[in-house]
Amino acid sequence: MTTGQPRRATTLPTGTVTFLFTDIEGSTRLVQDLGDQYGNLLADHCRILRDAIERADGIELGTEGDSFFAVFPSAVDAVAASAAAQRELAGHGWPGDAEVRVRMGLHTGEGTLGGDNYIGLDVHRAARIANAAHGGQVVLSDATRSLAESSLPPGVALRTLGAHRLKDLANSERLFQLDIAGLSIEFPALRTLDARPNNLPVQLTSFIGREAEIAAVGELLELARLVTLTGPGGTGKTRLALQVAAERLSRYADGAFVVELAPISDPALVLSAIAGAIGVREAANRPLAETLKESIHDRELLLVLDNFEQILGAASRITDLLTGAPRLRVLVTSRAVLHVHGEHELPVPPLRIPDPAHLPRLEALSQFEGVALFLERAMAARPDFAVTPQSAPAIAEIVARLDGLPLAIELAAAKAKLLGAEAILGRLGSRLAFLGGGARDLPARQQTLRQAIDWSYGLLTPPEQAFARRLGVFVGGWTVEAADSIGEPAELGLDAFEALAALVDQSLVRREEVEHGEPRFLMLETIREFSLERLDAAGETADLRRRHARHFVELAEQAEPDLTRDPEAINRVGHDHDNYRAVLSWAIETEEAELGLRLGFALWRFWHQRAYLNEGRQWFERLLAVPGAEVRTAARARGVTGAAGIAYWRNDYAAAEAWYAEAESIYRELGDRVGLADALYNAGTVAAIRGDMPAVFEKLGEGAAIGRELGDDAIVERFMVADGYMAFMTDDLERARSLLEQGLELTERRGDRMAIATGNHTVAQVARLQGRLDDAANHYLRSLTGLHELGDVASLTEPLQGLAAVAVATGRAELGVRLLGANAAIRERVGGGPPPEWLRLGDPLADARAMLDEATYARAWERGLAMTADEAVADAMAMTPAEAPTS
C-alpha cells in the first residue's frame, strides 16, 4: 500500500548525501487492532513524515506500506527532520488512542544514482541501521554524527551505542542515538547481529531485493518448523537463507546458526556438523543424536542447513531433532525437496528482470532486482560504471539472458572491470549460442548458469583455466601453499598467488580471512562442481585426487608433532578438516590403506583435542577394514596406535590395550626401536589402569633402556616422568616428587606446551597427596591454563578435578562442587576423558556434602553442570594459591 505521492525534485543530489529510512514498529498489530481506522492512521503518519522531510529540504524517494525512504543534501537537516518528526508523531492524537512508534535510521555517504534512484552500499547501510532501531528511536551512523553533532537542534543530544555488526555488512559500524528532550530515550538493545548468539558469516557484498521472499520465508517459519528453500544452483538460496536468519535473529533467544553441509557426502556426519556448529560435544558411549537432542531440547534456535541435496538420506535425522526440540526451527537450502513430514517447501525464484522487448523508462530500470544487482556489482568492479540510454538495453538483455540468476549476474557484472555492457552482452550472446546444444535433461536455469560459468572460464587464459579446474579437487577451501603444491601452477607458467588473484577477480574463487595466518580461498560449490566436470573431461581427476591426498597426508604428518605444542597447529588442521575427510574417503574407496592409516594416526590427537572422538573411531574402523590394512607394516602400527588413542579417551581400555599390544608386536618385528619405545610407554601406562604393576614396570624399564641405548633424551625423559607417576600411583610420594619435578624442569626447557601442562598436573598430584595444597593449587592452575590455551578440553578436566579436590580440602566446598559438576558436563560433551584411576581424588563430593546443606550443594552442582569449559576455567582461576593455604 502506498499513501500519497512523493514530492520529487527535478534533479536528485549526488556527492555526499544523508539517507533516511523509517517504518512503523508493530504495524501488523495496529492493522488488526484498528481495522478500518488504520487507513486514517497511516495517512496522518505519512503526512507528518512528509512535512518534516520537506521542511528540512529533504526529498522523499518512495513509500511502501508504512516505510519511507528520503535523502537530504545536509546531515544537519536530516537530523532536524528526524527529531521534528518524532516529536510530532509522539504528540499526535491517533485513532483509538493507538501508540504509533516509528523507527528511523540515518547514514551519510555517497549519493550514487542508478536511474532515478540511489544504489550502492551506503543506501543499504542506512536501511540496515533503521532495521536495527526500535520504535520511537533515531539511530545514526558515525558518518552522520560527525557532520551533525556541532549543529544539533535545541533539546537534542547524541548518545553513543558502540560498535555493532549490521546485517549483511562486512564491517562493524559505530552507532549513535538521538536523545530528544521530552521523548523516551531508553530502548532495548539494538537488533543487530551482536544481539543473539550466532555464527552467521560476514557478507562482503550487500543483499539486493528479495523483500517478498524474505517476508514469505518469515511467515512460513512462523507456521512451520521445517522450511526448505529449493531451486537449482545459483538461484541465491544460501544468501536468502542467511539474510532471513539475520533479519529474524532477535526472535530466537538462543540464536541462529548456519551449518555448512556442502563438504559432507556421508549422511552419518550431518549430526556431527550440526553439533560442531552449535558447540555441542559428543558424549562417551552415547549416540550423538541423544546428546544433541538433550542439549537443544529447551533452546530456542534457528538452524540454517545449507546445501542439503547431496545428503538427503539424513532428512529423517532432522525430523528426529525437531521432534525432540519443540522450540527449534530449521531452514534448509537444497536443490531437492527432503520429502519428510512437516516440511514446507518454498521454491526460490530468479530475481525480477525487465522484458528486453518492452523496456521501462531508464529511471525505472533499477527497480528490477536483477538490474539493481548487476549495477551494484558492476560499480564495485568499476566505480565509473553507469547505466545510460545506450547501455540500458544491453543491461536488460544481459540479466534476461541469465534468467535473473544471482550468481550468473554477479559473474557477468564482474567483467565490467574490463568491458562495457554492450561488450559483455556480445561475449555472452556468442557463448550462449555456442552452448545451445546442452543436455536437455538439465533445468533451463542450470544450463544458463553452466554457460555463464563456462563463459567466465573462457575469459581466462588456457593456463588459468587448467589451474582453475585443478582447484576443484579441494573441499572446504585451501591456502596459497596448497594451491601451489597440488595445482602445480608453475608447470603452467603461472605464479600461484597471481593466478588465484586472477580467479578472485573473475568471481570464480572467493578469498576468506582467518583470524591468524594466511588467507584461505574457496569456490562456490556450483563452480567447484563445474571445475570437477572439466577435470574429468581433461582426464586429470585421478592424478589430482592422488596429489591432493599425498599433500594433505604430508601436511598432517608435519603438523602432528605440533598438536601438543601449538594452538595454531590445531587451528590449521581444523581449517582443512574437510580436505582431510575427503582424503580419508579417497583412501578407503581406492584401497590406499597405507596413506589412510598414516593420515588417521596424524589426525587422532586433533580428533581427541577437538572432541571428534566418535568420528575418529568410525574412521579407524573403516580404515582398518580396508584390504591391505592388515599387513603388519609401520603404517599398520601407526594406525592401531591412533585407534588405541581414541579408544583410551573414550574409556574403552580393553580395545586400547589390545591395539597398543599389536603396535608393540609390529614394531618388534620391524626392529623399529623408536616406535617400540612409544608402544611400550602406551602399553605400560594402560596396563596400570587395571593394576598390573609388574607388567607396567617391565615395559617402562625396557622403554627407558631403549632411550638410553639410542641416546635420545626426549625418550629417556618421557619414561622418567612415567616412572615418577607410577611412583605416585604406588604411594612412593618422595620418589615421585623428585622424578616429576625433574621431568617438569626438563620439559620447560624443551617448550612442549602439552608436556609442560601435563608435568604441572603430575607435580600438583603429588603435592596434593602430601598435603602441600598451596603448591598443588599453583601447579594445577598452570596446567589448566596451558591446556585451555591449547584448546584441549578433554585433557583440562584432569587439573580441573584436582583443583576441585583442593578447593574442598581448603573449605571452599561450593567452588569444588561447581568444578566437579562442570567436569561431569564436559566429559559428557566431549565423549570421554582421563581415567579416574589416574587421579586418586578420593571422594571430594562426599566431603563437600558433609560441609554444605542439601540446597547449597544441589545449587552448586547444577551451576557446574550448566557451565561451558571456558566458564569452568574462569571459575577455577578464582582459586589463587594464596586462597589455598597449607594444611
Side-chain angles (χ1 to χ4, degrees):
M1 174 180 178
T2 300
T3 303
Q5 295 298 320
R7 298 179 176 91
R8 283 290 182 90
T10 304
T11 303
L12 292 174
T14 56
T16 301
V17 300
T18 299
F19 299 110
L20 167 68
F21 281 87
T22 80
D23 74 287
I24 299 175
E25 182 177 69
S27 56
T28 301
R29 176 184 50 78
L30 288 172
V31 172
Q32 295 170 345
D33 291 347
L34 296 176
D36 293 340
Q37 293 184 76
Y38 181 76
N40 294 331
L41 179 149
L42 184 59
D44 287 350
H45 154 267
C46 291
R47 175 183 52 76
I48 291 170
L49 283 176
R50 192 164 287 134
D51 289 349
I53 292 167
E54 187 177 19
R55 286 197 304 268
D57 295 324
I59 300 165
E60 182 185 346
L61 296 166
T63 59
E64 185 172 352
D66 55 66
S67 301
F68 267 68
F69 176 28
V71 64
F72 298 80
S74 161
V76 171
D77 291 339
V79 168
S82 303
Q86 289 289 18
R87 284 194 175 105
E88 291 184 51
L89 289 165
H92 188 73
W94 300 101
D97 293 325
E99 184 179 23
V100 177
R101 297 172 60 82
V102 175
R103 54 177 155 244
M104 300 181 182
L106 292 166
H107 174 60
T108 303
E110 186 71 15
T112 303
L113 292 174
D116 72 337
N117 218 329
Y118 293 93
I119 61 174
L121 190 60
D122 287 316
V123 175
H124 295 284
R125 193 173 297 276
R128 295 302 170 217
I129 290 171
N131 288 340
H134 296 275
Q137 187 178 30
V138 182
V139 178
L140 294 70
S141 71
D142 194 30
T144 303
R145 186 273 314 163
S146 66
L147 294 173
E149 66 178 343
S150 62
S151 302
L152 294 174
V156 175
L158 284 169
R159 174 188 300 207
T160 182
L161 300 177
H164 291 266
R165 184 180 158 205
L166 300 171
K167 299 161 188 173
D168 90 350
L169 297 176
N171 299 316
S172 295
E173 176 77 37
R174 289 184 64 213
L175 298 178
F176 299 80
Q177 174 183 300
L178 283 189
D179 283 354
I180 305 169
L183 303 185
S184 175
I185 59 174
E186 299 299 332
F187 300 93
L190 293 178
R191 301 183 303 171
T192 63
L193 294 184
D194 310 293
R196 291 285 191 269
N198 73 91
N199 70 342
L200 301 179
V202 170
Q203 302 298 324
L204 301 181
T205 56
S206 56
F207 187 78
I208 305 294
R210 299 290 200 192
E211 288 85 2
E213 287 79 12
I214 291 173
V217 177
E219 290 172 6
L220 269 181
L221 284 171
E222 291 294 322
L223 300 172
R225 297 177 55 222
L226 173 60
V227 176
T228 302
L229 305 183
T230 59
T235 49
K237 303 182 295 294
T238 297
R239 192 64 190 274
L240 175 60
L242 294 176
Q243 191 65 26
V244 169
E247 298 275 1
R248 302 178 64 80
L249 181 59
S250 62
R251 297 171 181 260
Y252 301 97
D254 297 299
F257 294 84
V258 59
V259 184
E260 300 286 359
L261 300 176
I264 295 176
S265 58
D266 184 354
L269 295 178
V270 170
L271 294 185
S272 289
I274 294 173
I278 63 177
V280 173
R281 302 280 186 169
E282 298 179 20
N285 302 318
R286 188 181 186 193
L288 177 58
E290 291 182 13
T291 304
L292 192 54
K293 280 194 290 186
E294 180 177 310
S295 174
I296 65 176
H297 178 267
D298 295 319
R299 294 167 69 180
E300 189 176 27
L301 281 172
L302 173 65
L303 289 183
V304 178
L305 306 184
D306 192 32
N307 288 298
F308 207 96
E309 58 271 359
Q310 79 278 12
I311 45 164
L312 291 174
S316 61
R317 291 176 168 87
I318 305 308
T319 55
D320 190 40
L321 280 184
L322 287 163
T323 301
R327 299 204 297 169
L328 173 67
R329 293 286 190 276
V330 177
L331 180 58
V332 175
T333 74
S334 177
R335 298 183 192 182
V337 184
L338 274 58
H339 290 297
V340 292
H341 180 70
E343 178 187 27
H344 282 62
E345 179 193 6
L346 182 68
V348 178
L351 298 175
R352 291 188 303 116
I353 57 175
D355 179 359
H358 302 91
L359 284 178
R361 292 178 299 105
L362 177 64
E363 295 78 14
L365 194 60
S366 64
Q367 294 179 9
F368 290 90
E369 296 168 333
V371 173
L373 177 62
F374 181 89
L375 289 176
E376 184 146 311
R377 300 299 189 258
M379 291 174 67
R382 195 178 83 205
D384 64 347
F385 187 91
V387 59
T388 66
Q390 292 72 36
S391 64
I395 293 171
E397 183 72 23
I398 288 168
V399 298
R401 291 284 186 93
L402 298 177
D403 287 344
L405 294 176
L407 177 56
I409 291 171
E410 294 198 2
L411 289 170
K415 309 309 173 288
K417 186 173 185 178
L418 302 174
L419 304 171
E422 295 88 347
I424 292 174
L425 178 60
R427 300 290 292 272
L428 185 62
S430 63
R431 182 62 65 182
L432 286 171
F434 178 73
L435 295 177
R440 292 178 178 272
D441 59 342
L442 290 172
R445 287 192 292 271
Q446 190 172 350
Q447 292 181 43
T448 304
L449 179 59
R450 288 173 181 267
Q451 292 158 359
I453 298 171
D454 184 63
W455 167 65
S456 292
Y457 268 59
L459 292 180
L460 301 174
T461 65
E464 287 172 342
Q465 291 176 347
F467 186 53
R469 67 175 177 257
R470 292 177 181 183
L471 296 176
V473 76
F474 290 101
V475 184
W478 64 86
T479 62
V480 176
E481 179 186 3
D484 199 15
S485 173
I486 297 170
E488 293 190 347
E491 72 176 17
L492 302 171
L494 299 173
D495 172 80
F497 190 83
E498 291 179 359
L500 283 171
L503 296 178
V504 170
D505 285 344
Q506 297 294 336
S507 298
L508 293 169
V509 167
R510 295 195 298 182
R511 182 177 187 268
E512 62 174 9
E513 297 292 341
V514 295
E515 188 172 348
H516 301 288
E518 293 292 320
R520 290 178 60 82
F521 298 84
L522 56 85
M523 280 182 173
L524 294 174
E525 191 61 22
T526 307
I527 298 175
R528 177 174 176 267
E529 290 173 9
F530 181 92
S531 298
L532 290 173
E533 289 177 1
R534 292 298 177 269
L535 201 64
D536 283 340
E540 298 175 333
T541 301
D543 180 52
L544 260 294
R545 290 194 73 187
R546 183 171 295 278
R547 265 193 241 172
H548 177 267
R550 286 177 175 168
H551 171 84
F552 280 102
V553 170
E554 291 172 4
L555 195 66
E557 288 180 333
Q558 291 169 12
E560 185 267 329
D562 292 328
L563 295 180
T564 61
R565 305 170 185 162
D566 183 5
E568 286 310 305
I570 303 171
N571 290 335
R572 286 193 298 271
V573 172
H575 288 316
D576 276 313
H577 197 189
D578 288 325
N579 279 309
Y580 291 125
R581 285 165 165 159
V583 174
L584 290 167
S585 294
W586 173 85
I588 293 166
E589 292 165 10
T590 58
E591 299 184 357
E592 289 280 353
E594 180 175 344
L595 277 178
L597 291 171
R598 284 169 55 192
L599 181 57
F601 172 74
L603 293 177
W604 88 263
R605 180 66 74 178
F606 167 79
W607 287 329
H608 149 235
Q609 290 167 323
R610 290 298 170 89
Y612 290 104
L613 293 176
N614 286 336
E615 181 178 338
R617 176 186 59 81
Q618 291 169 9
W619 281 122
F620 277 117
E621 286 178 352
R622 296 173 66 188
L623 288 167
L624 292 170
V626 171
E630 74 282 359
V631 180
R632 294 170 67 80
T633 63
R636 169 76 184 188
R638 292 191 186 97
V640 296
T641 298
I646 293 290
Y648 171 90
W649 282 96
R650 295 184 74 251
N651 307 139
D652 185 356
Y653 306 123
E657 190 168 16
W659 272 320
Y660 283 141
E662 182 180 351
E664 178 187 342
S665 173
I666 293 173
Y667 283 128
R668 288 188 188 279
E669 292 175 10
L670 296 176
D672 184 338
R673 305 292 281 167
V674 173
L676 177 58
D678 181 65
L680 288 166
Y681 175 89
N682 291 325
T685 51
V686 173
I689 296 174
R690 58 182 173 82
D692 187 357
M693 300 312 292
V696 172
F697 289 119
E698 178 184 347
K699 293 184 183 298
L700 295 185
E702 183 182 358
I706 291 173
R708 291 190 294 272
E709 168 196 323
L710 296 176
D712 191 320
D713 292 340
I715 294 177
V716 172
E717 175 193 323
R718 188 183 191 197
F719 280 94
M720 180 184 69
V721 171
D723 191 23
Y725 207 74
M726 291 308 111
F728 164 78
M729 293 290 289
T730 54
D731 284 326
D732 189 352
L733 298 183
E734 284 303 321
R735 181 167 180 269
R737 177 178 178 179
S738 174
L739 290 171
L740 293 175
E741 287 181 346
Q742 184 181 349
L744 176 58
E745 182 179 350
L746 293 172
T747 300
E748 288 175 334
R749 292 177 189 172
R750 284 195 295 110
D752 185 326
R753 296 176 68 176
M754 175 168 272
I756 293 170
T758 302
N760 273 294
H761 169 71
T762 59
V763 169
Q765 292 282 84
V766 176
R768 177 173 52 79
L769 287 195
Q770 289 183 323
R772 295 180 292 111
L773 299 184
D774 57 341
D775 194 29
N778 183 46
H779 285 289
Y780 279 135
L781 287 169
R782 289 180 186 175
S783 175
L784 186 69
T785 301
L787 292 169
H788 187 241
E789 289 173 351
L790 281 168
D792 190 341
V793 178
S795 298
L796 66 78
T797 59
E798 291 184 311
L800 191 69
Q801 292 176 80
L803 279 167
V806 171
V808 173
T810 54
R812 302 184 67 187
E814 282 190 68
L815 173 62
V817 173
R818 284 201 307 273
L819 296 183
L820 290 169
N823 167 70
I826 293 168
R827 284 184 61 99
E828 182 73 13
R829 292 193 294 268
V830 165
E837 295 86 349
W838 285 125
L839 303 182
R840 302 191 66 190
L841 292 179
D843 192 356
L845 282 178
D847 295 339
R849 192 181 290 275
M851 299 166 66
L852 301 171
D853 63 74
E854 192 62 35
T856 303
Y857 178 94
R859 184 168 58 250
W861 179 257
E862 290 301 321
R863 282 187 59 190
L865 289 177
M867 283 181 173
T868 65
D870 289 343
E871 290 169 340
V873 170
D875 201 21
M877 295 302 289
M879 185 174 176
T880 64
E883 294 171 309
T886 54
S887 58

